Amino acid sequence: MTSETSLKSLDLTQLAQRLGQLCKQLGVEITAAESCTGGGIASMITSTAGSSAYFTTGYVTYSNAAKTRLLGVPNAILEAHGAVSEEVVKAMVLGACRDSGAGLGVAVSGVAGPDGGSAEKPVGTVWLAWGDMNSQQAACFHFPGDRQAVRELAVREALAGLLIRLAEREKISAKK
């Protein structure tokens, strides 16, 4: 039930509920480090009753200073790549896992609009990263629509990405 195709048929509430089921089943605590979604990922996860059993901490680090202060994102990375970049979201998820002790995290930074876009990073550009203390993977998305649509699509991809990574862990533990 966690193939990418089957996840597309689920709404946000169903994604959050499935995430909770898998976290409990596998004994995994999760965290979220957010910028452009402004807490939307944490809000969706915690909308499920019992989420305190697996959701440790949420970070809303909208400013670069907050990314550095709370998550340990090096200023040099922010200056070299900008906040909306692979390097920054990987550093954000690493920092969130390190600070919270969670076994899996997600991070997001993007340009939700309607302002703030550039030729290189137009409105709708969103970077997401998933990972833990040892490994982080990132992906760039270009979401269509207005600010609300971009933020909702980012939350959806964040939850789906967590589910995919948990499903991989589930397969590994089933083989043992």
Side-chain angles (χ1 to χ4, degrees):
M1 179 53 178
T2 40
S3 73
E4 288 187 54
T5 305
S6 63
L7 291 176
K8 291 188 186 306
S9 68
L10 301 177
D11 67 24
L12 287 174
T13 300
Q14 292 168 320
L15 286 170
Q17 289 170 344
R18 179 67 182 133
L19 180 64
Q21 292 166 351
L22 264 180
C23 284
K24 287 179 189 176
Q25 179 183 327
L26 298 171
V28 175
E29 292 183 332
I30 57 176
T31 185
E34 303 181 61
S35 189
C36 67
T37 50
I41 297 167
S43 178
M44 235 16 266
I45 293 170
T46 60
S47 69
T48 300
S51 57
S52 62
Y54 53 87
F55 186 74
T56 63
T57 312
Y59 304 85
V60 178
T61 56
Y62 216 68
S63 72
N64 287 352
K67 289 173 181 64
T68 299
R69 186 176 70 255
L70 298 174
L71 301 173
V73 176
N75 267 330
I77 291 177
L78 286 160
E79 290 172 11
H81 303 283
V84 181
S85 65
E86 175 179 9
E87 295 80 4
V88 167
V89 292
K90 282 182 172 182
M92 287 171 68
V93 78
L94 174 63
C97 288
R98 181 180 51 239
D99 186 67
S100 70
L104 180 64
V106 61
V108 60
S109 188
V111 185
D115 302 321
S118 66
E120 184 180 287
K121 297 175 186 177
V123 169
T125 303
V126 175
W127 275 96
L128 284 155
W130 302 268
D132 55 29
M133 291 289 296
N134 301 311
S135 173
Q136 305 83 40
Q137 309 84 39
C140 184
F141 298 87
H142 298 280
F143 297 127
D146 62 10
R147 182 176 182 80
Q148 182 177 339
V150 169
R151 289 165 50 114
E152 185 174 313
L153 289 166
V155 170
R156 168 176 280 291
E157 286 296 336
L159 296 177
L162 287 169
L163 278 166
I164 288 166
R165 280 142 187 91
L166 286 170
E168 291 167 0
R169 291 183 183 193
E170 182 181 39
K171 285 179 192 172
I172 291 168
S173 69
K175 290 180 181 177
K176 291 182 180 179

